Amino acid sequence: MSVREIVTVGHPVLREPARDVTPDELASPEIQAFIDDLIDTMRHANGAGLAANQIGEPIRIAAIEVTDNPRYPYKPRIPLTVVVNPVLEPIAGPDGAHEMVEINEGCLSVPNLRGNVMRHVDVRVRYLDRHGVAHDEVKRGLTAGTFQHELDHLDGVLFLDRVTDTTTFTTWEQFERFHRAAFVERITEFVARVGS
């Protein structure tokens, strides 16, 4: 296991849609060691998640975990989840509409920049875990937002692409100084309402 370099915006691999992993590949010592590296790198960087192409491998694997993260203290906990070949589907409410939430996001591959992104509140995620076991789960709220962010990476999409109001772009320093308190208050109320 080792910590790998996280590539940053401008590196071509971040714009390359990742390919599915075959069952034989997933069972291989090489891919299992890669997954360990992905987890170690995510934890070392205090990330809420990390996709394989962020460390230079365009394969459909991501790791997601939120514990007591100093970068995101308002995020609900997510146990370590390794997703392989994930497929994400937004879920509509009883009225057929898709509830959305505005989240101020940052990214380990976009150092020192944040911006507001609209994310689906409810999503269904189908994936294999690192042992090849199939999962079919519903994610809500900020947890759903975290899954959408990481799975975007696997499609070659960065949060920058989803920011529609470019006046929300801010450095981490200025976010902390001018915007964090209002965002945390709003998003904490949202988490209390949706439960995750």
Side-chain angles (χ1 to χ4, degrees), residues 62-100:
I64 296 169
E65 181 180 47
V66 177
T67 53
D68 293 321
N69 193 315
R71 288 164 56 99
Y72 308 107
Y74 47 83
K75 280 195 173 197
R77 289 174 177 261
I78 303 173
L80 176 61
T81 307
V82 174
V83 298
V84 180
N85 301 340
V87 176
L88 187 143
E89 173 190 350
I91 299 174
D95 61 355
H98 292 271
E99 184 181 359
M100 306 291 286

Side-chain angles (χ1 to χ4, degrees), residues 1 4 9 12 21 23 26 28 58 74-75 79 88 94-97 123 130 139 169 186 191 193:
M1 295 189 295
R4 298 199 188 189
V9 60
V21 177
L26 181 56
S28 72
Y74 47 83
K75 280 195 173 197
L88 187 143
D95 61 355
V123 297
R130 69 182 300 170
K139 305 297 180 185
F169 279 127
R186 177 176 64 80
V191 169
R193 179 173 65 81

Side-chain angles (χ1 to χ4, degrees), residues 42-53:
M42 172 187 68
R43 289 175 171 167
H44 182 262
N46 283 326
L50 195 65
N53 48 351

Side-chain angles (χ1 to χ4, degrees), residues 5-187:
E5 177 187 1
I6 296 174
V7 301
T8 54
V9 60
H11 194 297
V13 75
L14 292 174
R15 294 305 191 173
E16 185 179 337
R19 66 168 180 82
D20 281 348
V21 177
T22 68
D24 285 346
E25 282 180 302
L26 181 56
S28 72
E30 293 79 14
I31 291 294
Q32 290 298 315
F34 173 81
I35 291 171
D36 289 336
D37 289 354
L38 187 67
I39 294 166
D40 283 353
T41 305
M42 172 187 68
R43 289 175 171 167
H44 182 262
N46 283 326
L50 195 65
N53 48 351
Q54 290 182 272
I55 57 173
E57 297 291 339
I59 54 177
R60 289 190 71 80
I61 300 177
I64 296 169
E65 181 180 47
V66 177
T67 53
D68 293 321
N69 193 315
R71 288 164 56 99
Y72 308 107
Y74 47 83
K75 280 195 173 197
R77 289 174 177 261
I78 303 173
L80 176 61
T81 307
V82 174
V83 298
V84 180
N85 301 340
V87 176
L88 187 143
E89 173 190 350
I91 299 174
D95 61 355
H98 292 271
E99 184 181 359
M100 306 291 286
V101 60
E102 187 175 34
I103 302 174
N104 183 275
E105 293 189 7
C107 179
L108 294 172
S109 289
V110 186
N112 202 32
L113 193 63
R114 299 180 64 92
N116 288 3
V117 177
M118 297 303 293
R119 295 291 188 188
H120 291 277
V121 173
D122 296 295
V123 297
R124 179 180 185 184
V125 186
R126 298 180 191 88
Y127 64 93
L128 303 177
D129 64 24
R130 69 182 300 170
H131 307 293
V133 177
H135 294 258
D136 187 338
E137 301 169 354
V138 172
K139 305 297 180 185
R140 285 185 55 79
L142 285 187
T143 298
T146 299
F147 274 78
Q148 289 167 81
H149 179 109
E150 296 310 326
L151 273 54
D152 268 356
H153 275 299
L154 300 179
D155 294 329
V157 175
L158 297 174
F159 86 91
L160 302 170
D161 306 325
R162 297 201 181 274
V163 175
T164 56
D165 180 357
T166 56
T167 66
T168 67
F169 279 127
T170 177
T171 63
W172 271 86
E173 179 185 359
Q174 301 308 327
F175 173 75
E176 293 286 342
R177 185 174 177 194
F178 295 112
H179 307 286
R180 181 184 177 90
F183 171 69
V184 170
E185 180 180 358
R186 177 176 64 80
I187 214 68

